[in-house]
Every structure is written in structure tokens, then in C-alpha cells.
Amino acid sequence: MGDPAAAPPVRGCRHHARRPRALGARRPAAGAHPDRAHRPDEPPPRDVPTVGVTNWEGGRSAAEHLAGLGHSALAVIGGHRHHRYSKARIDGFRSVVPDASIRIGFADWRRADAHRQALGILRGPGRPTAVFACSDLMALGVYDAAKDLGLRIPDDLSVIGFDDVPEAGWATPTLTTVRQPLTEMGSAAMRLLLANRGGRPPVGSVVRFELATSLVVRSSTAARG
């Protein structure tokens, strides 16, 4: 197929050569500024309503659960190093236990990368007895690494995830996780959308919902033997 910019002009119409957009690229919505797309490593714009969860408190609750079970040699698998919500979950976890007792790796939210990170951490000296993964998908990558190394969950290794996606309840053993209230988040987002369908609200009147997380204890965590 030829270059559309090189096609002859249509008679009776003004012809302008256009630069082809990258495959999969989308036009910005009407009235949107292309630089205003929200990035996870930046705070949301002040004039944009948002719905989120208490990521810091969720990380802290995971650490409190593991500490209460007697675990002190701990590891964390984070998402992207610069994503705010990954950092908040790790910071909440670190608020409970000394930094010296935590090994941290980053897996960019991917199960395969979490598998590789966990293999390196669990093979090293002073193997952790518990791992907190900042998403359930990455926690399943920790499961994969434990299986490769012959470690039993939770007898040899306790694992906690974050999100409470359906796969957490299907895993063997079922995954202890920090639940994000996804249904409530969707409802809150819809209310914001309907309330602001006429345009962005003035700065200072922006609504921001921050919904509470909760710890869901299942079968992947146990007291240190």
C-alpha cells in the first residue's frame, strides 16, 4: 500500500499531507490537552476528580499481618520503581519493619518478571520467610518461583498479594491479599463522571475519593515455624 500522504488530491477538495499516526495511537478527546494524560509516576492534575485507594495503609496492613505471624526476614516485590501507588504500598510496608530486614525487587507488574525477581531473592543467602507482592499477579509469580525451588506455601514461605482479583481465590493455596474495593471504586467513578459531565469543575471544588483497603486472610500465610 502506498503512502497516503503521496496520494493525488481529490478534485474540488483541498488536500493536505498528513503524518501517519503510530499504529494504535488514539486522538485526544475533544478539549483535552495531549500533555494532560495522567501518568502513574505523577500526582493527578488538581482540576481532575480522582478515585483511588489507601495504598500506604494497605502496605502497612500486609506488614502488620506478617510481623504478627512472627516473620522478620521479609521481601517485597514492587511494580514499577517510579509508580506512586507501588511506592506508597512499599512505604506503608516499610513503616512497620526495619529497612535492614527487607529485600526489595521490582517486576513492573508482570508475573514473569516477579518470578525472576523472586527466584533471585529466594535463592540468596538469608532467604526471606515471607514475601509481599504489590499485586496479586506478581504474587502468583512468587508462587511460580517457590514451586521451582521446592518451597511450600505457606509452610516454607508466606505470600501476600494486593488487589483481591478472582485469581487470588483460585490459587493453590488461596492467596492472602490486600483487597481493593473495585466495585465501590467503579461506582464512585461513575458518580464523578455523571456529576462532571458538563466539564471540569473549578479548581478547589474537585472531589477526590480515597477508599479503604482491607486485609483478606486466606491460606498463603502462616506463623513462622
Side-chain angles (χ1 to χ4, degrees):
M1 182 180 293
D3 183 354
V10 178
R11 182 172 296 176
C13 298
R14 298 182 64 184
H15 177 74
H16 299 277
R18 295 182 180 179
R19 177 186 295 178
R21 298 201 310 275
L23 184 64
R26 296 182 178 179
R27 295 181 183 275
H33 192 287
D35 294 333
R36 296 303 299 274
H38 175 48
R39 290 171 44 181
D41 56 344
E42 296 177 345
R46 293 180 58 198
D47 59 342
V48 176
T50 59
V51 177
V53 298
T54 52
N55 288 296
W56 190 93
E57 287 82 356
R60 182 177 178 88
S61 68
E64 289 175 337
H65 177 65
L66 293 176
L69 293 172
H71 295 280
S72 57
L74 305 169
V76 176
I77 304 293
H80 192 285
R81 187 181 300 270
H82 301 297
H83 285 180
R84 292 180 306 110
Y85 34 92
S86 178
K87 184 177 185 299
R89 294 171 193 181
I90 295 171
D91 286 348
F93 192 90
R94 293 167 66 180
S95 72
V96 175
V97 292
D99 282 354
S101 65
I102 307 174
R103 300 179 65 179
I104 300 176
F106 293 91
D108 203 16
W109 308 107
R110 298 187 180 98
R111 178 171 180 168
D113 289 355
H115 176 204
R116 286 191 289 270
Q117 288 285 338
L119 280 176
I121 290 172
L122 297 174
R123 280 174 174 160
R127 179 179 64 79
T129 61
V131 178
F132 167 51
C134 288
S135 77
D136 291 343
L137 188 63
M138 294 191 296
L140 295 179
V142 178
Y143 272 46
D144 297 337
K147 182 178 179 181
D148 289 349
L149 298 174
L151 299 174
R152 299 166 300 165
I153 298 172
D155 299 332
D156 303 317
L157 181 71
S158 287
V159 181
I160 296 185
F162 199 111
D163 287 331
D164 197 25
V165 298
E167 290 82 356
W170 303 338
T172 305
T174 54
L175 178 65
T176 296
T177 188
V178 178
R179 177 181 178 269
Q180 292 198 72
L182 299 178
T183 301
E184 293 89 336
M185 290 170 68
S187 298
M190 180 58 69
R191 290 197 300 272
L192 284 179
L193 180 65
L194 293 175
N196 295 287
R197 61 186 180 275
R200 288 183 176 175
V203 174
S205 66
V206 175
V207 175
R208 290 197 173 134
F209 285 107
E210 192 170 65
L211 304 178
T213 55
S214 58
L215 183 68
V216 179
V217 178
R218 296 194 178 102
S219 303
S220 66
T221 52
R224 184 181 177 189

